Amino acid sequence: MIIGLSYDLKEATPAQQDGLNDASEEYDSPETVELISAALEAKGRSVVKLGGGKEFLDNIRREKVDIVFNIAEGKGNHRSREAQVPSILEMLSIPYTGSDPQCLAVCLDKPVTKKLVALDGISTPGWLKIADEEELYQTSWDGFPLPAIIKPAYEGSSKGIRLTSLAYSVSQAQEKAQRILECYRQPVMVEEFIDGDEVTVGIIGNSPPGMLGMMRILPKTKDEHFVYSLEVKRDYLNLVEYECPVLLEQKILDKISDSSLKVFKALGCRDFARVDFRVSPGGTPYFLEVNPLPGLGSYSDMVIMAKMIGWTHQELIGAVLDAALERYPQCGHM
Ligand SMILES: Nc1ncnc2c1ncn2[C@@H]1O[C@H](COP(=O)(O)OP(=O)(O)OP(=O)(O)O)[C@@H](O)[C@H]1O
Ligand SMILES: [Mg+2]
C-alpha cells in the first residue's frame, strides 16, 4: 500500500506586536512529519511525502497513492482552509484520512460550530461575534458576563489566545477585540469565561466512534484565571500537568463523554477528533470547540493523552489510518 502524506510545514515569520509569533503555529515541524511517516511505514507500507499548497498540487497529480494521510492545515487565514486538501482529494477521487471538507470548514468557524452544537442541547459559553470595527462599536454588551475571553473566530493552536486575552470591562474587551481584528484579519469572538477545570477529549473511529480518553489540563501554579494560552502551550512542561484518567466526579465525566460523542456526530466528524471543554464550578461541562484535525506531533494533546493510556504514537497513527481504511473497502486492509 502506498500512502501519501499531506502536511504544511512551519515557516519562519516575523514577530508580532507582543513579541510572540504565531503565524505558523498550526503548521507542523519536520520532526512531526518524519515521526508520522515512520509510523505509517510500519507493516511494510510505503509513504510518499506530498507536502502542502502548490507543492501538494504538483505531487498529487504525479504520484500514485492508495490513500492520503492528511495533516495539512491549509493556506491563508480563510475559515475553510482546512478543507483545501480534502476538497482536492475528493475532486480526484483519492481516499484520505479524517473529516470531509464541510466538517473541517464548519469546525474552524467557532461561532457557527457553537450554534450547531447548541441545537443538540450541548452547553456552550455565551458569546458575541464581532465581524469588523463598525460592528465593534455598535455591539450592545448589556448583561454580557465578565470576565470574557477575546479570541479570533477562525483559529486553532491557541493562535491569538494569550495570557492577556481576558477582558474585565467593556472598554478592555473593545480594545482587545480591535487588536484581533487588526492582527488576525478575521472576526472576533467574545466568549463568557468559564473559570473551571479544562478537559480535552480524544475520539477515534466511526462505527461507532469511541472515546480514546479524556485528559485534564492543570496549571502548575494556581493562577487566578487559567488560560491554556499560546505561552502555556509552548512551555507546557514547566507550566501544566496532565491528568489522565481524569479525577472528576463520574457524573461529570459521563456528561463530557456523552457531549463529545454528540458533537462528533452532529458535525459529521470522521476517524478522529479532539473536543475541548471547561467545567464550571457547578459541574456543568461547557463545550469550547472541536478539532477534527488535531495535532499528531509528539507534544500534541491527543498524543500525550494516547501515551498516558498506554498507546504508542505508532498505534495512534495506525488507529486513525484503520478508521479511514474501513470507510474505503476498495483500499483493503494492511
Ligand atoms: N470560554 C472560555 N472559558 C474558559 N477558557 C477558555 C474559553 N475559551 C478559551 N479558553 C481557554 O483558551 C484555550 C484555547 O481556546 P480554544 O480551544 O478556543 O482555542 P484553539 O486555538 O482553537 O485551541 P486548540 O489549540 O485546541 O486548537 C482553551 O483551551 C482554554 O484554556
Ligand atoms: Mg482548543
Side-chain angles (χ1 to χ4, degrees):
M1 174 175 288
I2 304 174
I3 303 174
L5 179 57
S6 52
Y7 52 86
D8 289 301
L9 284 181
K10 283 189 193 298
E11 296 152 22
T13 40
Q16 287 160 237
Q17 281 166 14
D18 59 5
L20 292 171
N21 168 17
D22 63 13
S24 260
E25 202 66 22
E26 62 193 347
Y27 295 154
D28 284 293
S29 64
E31 294 75 42
T32 294
V33 171
E34 288 310 322
L35 193 69
I36 295 175
S37 180
L40 292 170
E41 273 166 357
K43 301 194 194 168
R45 305 173 189 122
S46 49
V47 172
V48 175
K49 295 194 183 102
L50 302 168
K54 291 183 183 143
E55 184 195 1
F56 166 80
L57 285 179
D58 294 340
N59 289 337
I60 197 66
R61 298 296 306 279
R62 201 183 49 238
E63 302 286 349
K64 286 266 162 294
V65 299
D66 297 302
I67 188 166
V68 171
F69 194 97
N70 176 43
I71 58 162
E73 299 280 344
K75 298 293 184 187
N77 74 337
H78 320 285
R79 63 181 174 163
S80 303
R81 61 189 181 273
E82 288 185 359
Q84 291 168 1
V85 161
S87 301
I88 290 161
L89 294 170
E90 287 196 352
M91 185 175 70
L92 299 174
S93 298
I94 298 174
Y96 60 93
T97 58
S99 295
D100 76 347
Q102 181 163 344
C103 169
L104 292 162
V106 165
C107 294
L108 205 51
D109 184 325
K110 288 179 179 163
V112 165
T113 304
K114 281 161 65 78
K115 275 187 198 166
L116 290 174
V117 306
L119 286 175
D120 265 16
I122 289 168
S123 305
T124 185
W127 83 97
L128 294 169
K129 178 186 166 188
I130 298 169
D132 51 34
E133 248 181 70
E134 200 182 326
E135 237 180 71
L136 176 59
Y137 294 100
Q138 285 168 354
T139 298
S140 161
W141 299 77
D142 265 2
F144 195 89
L146 295 169
I149 185 160
I150 319 294
K151 51 189 187 182
Y154 316 144
E155 292 298 350
S157 308
S158 278
K159 281 175 78 173
I161 301 182
R162 304 285 205 270
L163 294 171
T164 53
S165 293
L166 294 194
Y168 297 85
S169 66
V170 171
S171 65
Q172 251 188 16
Q174 285 171 326
E175 188 193 305
K176 288 174 194 288
Q178 170 122 30
R179 221 186 128 258
I180 288 186
L181 289 170
E182 280 164 17
C183 294
Y184 293 87
R185 295 170 292 117
Q186 62 183 278
V188 174
M189 196 167 80
V190 177
E191 200 174 44
E192 175 187 3
F193 184 73
I194 306 296
D195 203 4
D197 286 303
E198 168 119 12
V199 177
T200 191
V201 181
I203 297 179
I204 206 137
N206 300 301
S207 47
M211 299 288 292
L212 170 71
M214 263 186 227
M215 185 168 84
R216 177 155 58 154
I217 297 128
L218 295 150
K220 281 193 181 164
T221 37
K222 303 288 169 240
D223 290 338
E224 199 192 345
H225 297 302
F226 171 63
V227 176
Y228 198 22
S229 65
L230 185 75
E231 297 93 330
V232 176
K233 285 181 187 168
R234 283 188 180 172
D235 193 17
Y236 70 99
L237 285 175
N238 289 317
L239 299 179
V240 289
E241 276 171 55
Y242 297 108
E243 179 187 89
C244 176
V246 175
L247 305 175
L248 288 174
E249 267 178 64
Q250 192 56 44
K251 74 170 196 271
I252 298 178
L253 301 182
D254 291 346
K255 179 82 192 152
I256 295 176
S257 73
D258 181 61
S259 299
S260 307
L261 292 168
K262 267 194 185 152
V263 165
F264 190 92
K265 288 180 195 153
L267 295 161
C269 299
R270 290 192 316 209
D271 303 342
F272 72 131
R274 228 194 63 234
V275 193
D276 292 344
F277 292 87
R278 291 288 290 239
V279 182
S280 72
T284 303
Y286 282 87
F287 165 86
L288 296 185
E289 57 128 11
V290 51
N291 301 285
L293 198 56
L296 290 174
S298 359
Y299 309 120
S300 306
D301 285 344
M302 186 121 174
V303 175
I304 295 173
M305 181 193 304
K307 287 186 180 161
M308 290 180 83
I309 59 162
W311 289 35
T312 61
H313 183 263
Q314 186 178 315
E315 283 168 338
L316 178 62
I317 301 297
V320 173
L321 179 65
D322 286 346
L325 286 173
E326 269 177 31
R327 296 187 288 104
Y328 299 107
Q330 74 273 25
C331 289
H333 270 269
M334 282 198 70

